[in-house]
Amino acid sequence: EVQLVESGGGLVQPGGSLRLSCAASGFTFSRYWMRWFRQAPGKGLEWVASISQDGSEKYYVDSVRGRFTISRENAKNSLFLQMNSLRAEDTAVYYCARTLQGGSDYWGQGLLVTVSS
Amino acid sequence: DIVMTQSPLSLPVTPGEPASFSCRSSQSLLRRDGYNSLAWYLQKPGQSPQLLVYLGSNRASGVPDRFSGSGSGTDFTLKISRVEAEDVGVYYCMQAVQTPITFGQGTRLEIK
């Protein structure tokens, strides 16, 4: 059974940092592109970042480029999102997701990140 | 950036009746291989999004055959042949032909 389990969220002050993790199981992690999405309270879905199978290609939405870094460790079936210089507008539920044929077919349960003083 | 526009924003439907969701993109989503990079998701209340359709018209694994996707280029449609109570939630279309990947604003399906 495919599972994606996120961890590392919580409350952080503006300007602070958090590192989100996503533990993958039930599939060959190294064969898939992976993505991070987010959803601000009461709002729609937003793509945050994507990473290729070997980590050599990374893409970001403009609002996080230079502050967030997506990475992966295939040997540990893990995906990460390092978030620095956090702002109030980064407050959201963050999801990791597997990519298949352009779509994202498996999603994690979601992780709340709250940026507030 | 590609802008995705969904309509209607709210869709009240009687169980057993059909439902249709529209999604339009500001640029063509047709890839060089002939596939459209358009996916549909359903986010049920309190849950993570679930993939319904990918590449415009391919039903994801486990998705009931009452769901169908169609369209090409800039105009896409998701149809439910007979709505059931469990179909309640927000339906999103998403393009992945280029970054940034973008979503429509969503259509909320409610049961009459």
Side-chain angles (χ1 to χ4, degrees), chain A residues 3-103:
Chain A
Q3 282 197 314
L4 298 170
V5 180
E6 299 109 338
S7 59
L11 175 64
V12 61
Q13 292 189 339
S17 298
L18 273 180
R19 188 190 196 209
L20 305 185
S21 299
C22 173
S25 60
F27 66 102
T28 306
F29 180 70
S30 61
R31 291 183 180 175
Y32 292 84
W33 280 73
M34 297 295 292
R35 293 168 173 160
W36 286 99
F37 296 93
R38 66 184 179 183
Q39 187 169 35
K43 302 297 184 182
L45 296 168
E46 181 183 34
W47 168 75
V48 174
S50 297
I51 188 168
S52 62
Q53 293 95 327
D54 64 357
S56 62
E57 295 182 60
K58 302 177 183 181
Y59 301 93
Y60 301 92
V61 67
D62 282 351
S63 59
V64 309
R65 188 175 294 113
R67 300 188 299 121
F68 290 12
T69 302
I70 188 172
S71 62
R72 64 192 299 162
E73 190 168 351
N74 286 342
K76 295 187 176 181
N77 294 328
S78 295
L79 176 72
F80 306 101
L81 186 67
Q82 177 66 44
M83 305 187 296
N84 299 330
S85 303
L86 283 161
R87 306 166 179 167
E89 54 265 35
D90 296 318
T91 294
V93 174
Y94 285 74
Y95 299 97
C96 64
R98 189 178 83 165
T99 301
L100 178 68
Q101 295 280 23

Side-chain angles (χ1 to χ4, degrees), chain A residues 35 37 39 43-45 47 50 59 95 101-105 107-109, chain B residues 31 37 39 41 43 47-49 51 54-55 92 94 96 99-101 103:
Chain A
R35 293 168 173 160
F37 296 93
Q39 187 169 35
K43 302 297 184 182
L45 296 168
W47 168 75
S50 297
Y59 301 93
Y95 299 97
Q101 295 280 23
S104 288
D105 60 343
W107 296 60
Q109 81 282 4
Chain B
R31 303 186 327 192
S37 193
Y41 299 89
Q43 187 172 31
Q47 295 186 18
S48 302
L51 179 67
Y54 62 96
L55 297 180
Y92 294 95
M94 182 197 85
T99 56
I101 293 168
F103 287 88

